[in-house]
Amino acid sequence: MRRRFLAAAGAVALGLATAALPPAGAPRAQQGQQPVEIQFWHGLAQPLGGLLEGIVNDFNQSQQRYRVVPTFRGSYSETMVAAIAAFRANTAPHVVQMFEVGTGTMMAAGRAVKPVHELLRETGVQIDFGDFLAPVRDYYATSDGRQMAMPFNSSTAIVFYNKDAFRRAGLDPERFPETWPEVAEAARKLKAAGVACPMSTAWPAWIQIEQFSAIHNLPLATQANGFNGLNAELRINNPTLVRHIGNLVDWQREGLFRYGGRDSAGDALFPSGECAILFASSGLRARTVREARFQWGVAMLPYDPEVRGAPINSIIGGAAFWALNRGPSQGRSAEEWRGVAELLRYLARPDVAAKWHTDTGYLPLTRAAYERARASGYYQQNPGADIPIQQLLRGGGQTTENSRGIRLGGFVEIRNIMQEELEKAFQGQQSEQQAMDNAVNRGNQVLRNFERQNRAAR
């Protein structure tokens, strides 16, 4: 088991006003009893980290039996590497925050992880995961629906667009185009109106490959995007996705699209006013509110009208909380596990989840939290703030094998590979088909290496 966790760690190292009432049924400490200490490591810098630690403090104030100690451990990958080192020394934290691209690695960590469904069953603590937004819940669950981790800070990809630029181009500022051909026509009008950068994208692999695949119900990989086994193979060189990448390349030549760089590098292009349309994380909202000096709007991701059944739900980004055993030779006491379960139950409370959502711009975890935020008037006061939620519920709110999420080992490295190959296509060094074929071949090598490491460690 120890070898298995360490093998999984290699993939990470490569890329990687709430009420003061206690949770219902929460145990209270007996007089004179010292609270049980729960170590909680997270990867959120300020100000988000401070808001998270404030919630933890509220939990501590709400009951007397447990004291959760939150610690910022750096970036997500740094936090995970630190937790792995602590696990080797039998000093792992009770709870660690891990970003979504590390889910496959965490799934392969064996008994180093205490699955949430086991934790709740053994402690008798109840969390209604049926009320969670399905794309949020399912990302961190097994293919048969067993919850492995507790979702918390989740986002998805949406469109940000400049309403002032739309008006100058003769476009309706209150209606963003629904399909990709309509987006291209809007970009041509923006260019004709003097906009130097009609559209761009942040997170090119996440949005233009992973999200595009999900909303069109296309497999990113076999084995239900890796949910059903380590022997998954990439399928991103399919004709529909290749056509989409080819369109982006053509639109760049036409001056309609600008490659904005890897990961979040393109984020600055929209709030600065440089690009009129940006495909980005819904988490960009807070920065846009703070920096934009123009009227702007948000919309759901466009879709290819030639794909039958599209669009369906998008997938999420962000992170979840994973419960860890202390180390290879040490577990946890029943009381420690109960404290972890009580913390997770507190985080799932509608008032807590709704406040986190409205304070940060992250998605609400549950429908109850969404309804609480709606009833408060938050969405009327912040038009478009519910677009990410509506998009996650698009297509009936139930996920498919292709829109549940991604469960691939070494996925941080694979995402970098996809970005490298995309860049070569945008630079004219290879065709869109070559780019996707190369990404498949190189990415499959990462998957096979991960599979060998973890098969051998079983």
Side-chain angles (χ1 to χ4, degrees):
M1 179 272 292
R2 178 170 179 266
R3 291 195 306 271
R4 187 178 178 193
F5 193 35
L6 298 179
V12 177
L14 286 171
L16 292 186
T18 61
L21 297 174
R28 311 291 295 185
Q30 297 179 1
Q31 188 172 2
Q33 178 181 343
Q34 291 296 316
V36 175
E37 188 169 283
I38 305 296
Q39 293 293 328
F40 168 47
W41 291 3
H42 70 87
L44 289 177
Q46 296 293 349
L48 293 173
L51 293 170
L52 173 57
E53 292 182 6
I55 292 176
V56 171
N57 182 63
D58 290 339
F59 170 74
N60 288 338
Q61 295 296 319
S62 74
Q63 47 74 47
Q64 303 168 3
R65 196 159 184 169
Y66 310 105
R67 186 173 72 90
V68 179
V69 181
T71 306
F72 174 62
R73 302 293 298 196
S75 67
Y76 287 136
S77 57
E78 290 169 341
T79 300
M80 191 64 245
V81 169
I84 291 165
F87 177 83
R88 296 174 62 184
N90 288 308
T91 59
H94 297 76
V95 183
V96 67
Q97 186 183 37
M98 184 64 177
F99 61 165
E100 93 284 359
V101 292
T103 302
T105 297
M106 294 298 288
M107 288 290 194
R111 293 198 61 79
V113 168
K114 181 76 165 179
V116 164
H117 67 90
E118 289 184 10
L119 175 71
L120 300 181
R121 184 182 69 247
E122 294 173 6
T123 60
V125 173
Q126 295 183 356
I127 296 176
D128 182 10
F129 280 105
D131 190 48
F132 276 56
L133 301 177
V136 175
R137 175 195 64 221
D138 293 350
Y139 204 108
Y140 303 106
T142 61
S143 56
D144 60 359
R146 291 173 296 159
Q147 205 67 38
M148 295 294 291
M150 169 75 175
F152 185 65
N153 53 308
S154 297
S155 60
T156 192
I158 59 173
V159 184
F160 292 81
Y161 68 100
N162 186 323
K163 289 186 175 183
D164 291 345
F166 266 49
R167 290 189 185 93
R168 290 193 295 271
L171 297 165
D172 185 351
E174 303 306 322
R175 179 191 174 275
F176 188 82
E178 295 184 358
T179 69
W180 276 106
E182 291 173 324
V183 170
E185 284 306 308
R188 290 188 180 96
K189 291 182 179 180
L190 288 164
K191 181 185 176 184
V195 177
C197 174
M199 63 176 165
S200 185
T201 189
W203 300 99
W206 182 50
I207 297 177
Q208 302 304 335
I209 295 179
E210 299 164 38
Q211 296 283 2
F212 182 92
S213 297
I215 69 173
H216 292 89
N217 202 17
L218 299 171
L220 190 81
T222 61
Q223 294 291 359
N225 285 353
F227 273 70
N228 292 344
L230 294 176
N231 58 332
E233 296 182 349
L234 292 173
R235 288 291 183 267
I236 56 175
N237 56 350
N238 63 79
T240 302
L241 185 52
V242 169
R243 180 174 70 243
H244 175 62
I245 300 302
N247 285 337
L248 293 176
V249 171
D250 290 343
W251 294 336
Q252 179 173 261
R253 294 195 192 101
E254 193 179 343
L256 308 181
F257 175 82
R258 178 191 299 178
Y259 176 68
R262 299 185 188 182
D263 298 335
S264 62
D267 279 354
L269 295 174
F270 184 75
S272 68
E274 191 169 348
C275 293
I277 299 170
L278 185 72
F279 309 100
S281 167
S282 57
L284 185 62
R285 182 181 184 88
R287 179 175 179 179
T288 303
V289 168
R290 184 174 63 249
E291 298 179 10
R293 299 294 180 264
F294 51 86
Q295 288 192 334
W296 54 276
V298 296
M300 297 188 200
L301 294 174
Y303 64 94
D304 184 339
E306 295 184 22
V307 178
R308 181 178 299 178
I312 60 173
N313 67 281
S314 59
I315 55 177
I316 63 167
F321 297 149
W322 295 78
L324 300 181
N325 278 297
R326 184 176 177 85
S329 61
Q330 294 187 28
R332 306 284 189 193
S333 69
E335 192 64 15
E336 288 177 282
W337 285 133
R338 179 62 187 259
V340 172
E342 292 291 352
L343 172 64
L344 299 185
R345 173 161 60 177
Y346 183 87
L347 294 171
R349 280 172 42 169
D351 57 330
V352 176
K355 188 171 189 300
W356 171 256
H357 162 54
T358 57
D359 283 352
T360 66
Y362 281 112
L363 297 166
L365 291 175
T366 63
R367 291 177 184 269
Y370 169 61
E371 288 301 325
R372 183 175 288 256
R374 185 184 61 80
S376 74
Y378 174 73
Y379 301 119
Q380 288 184 332
Q381 299 162 16
N382 299 272
D386 59 341
I387 288 293
I389 304 151
Q390 293 178 21
Q391 184 174 267
L392 284 175
L393 298 176
R394 192 160 59 172
Q398 296 302 313
T399 60
T400 71
E401 283 191 350
N402 301 321
S403 70
R404 179 188 301 132
I406 302 166
R407 189 63 49 76
L408 301 176
F411 195 55
V412 173
E413 185 179 3
I414 291 172
R415 184 178 281 177
N416 286 334
I417 287 171
M418 291 192 291
Q419 292 183 138
E420 289 172 2
E421 298 300 337
L422 282 175
E423 285 178 346
K424 292 178 183 177
F426 286 127
Q427 293 165 0
Q429 299 177 23
Q430 61 186 4
S431 69
E432 57 270 19
Q433 185 69 61
Q434 289 173 322
M436 294 297 96
D437 287 343
N438 290 341
V440 165
N441 293 333
R442 294 176 61 195
N444 281 342
Q445 291 178 12
V446 174
L447 291 173
R448 298 292 71 78
N449 290 338
F450 187 89
E451 181 183 18
R452 282 192 296 271
Q453 289 175 336
N454 288 280
R455 295 284 188 210
R458 286 173 183 258

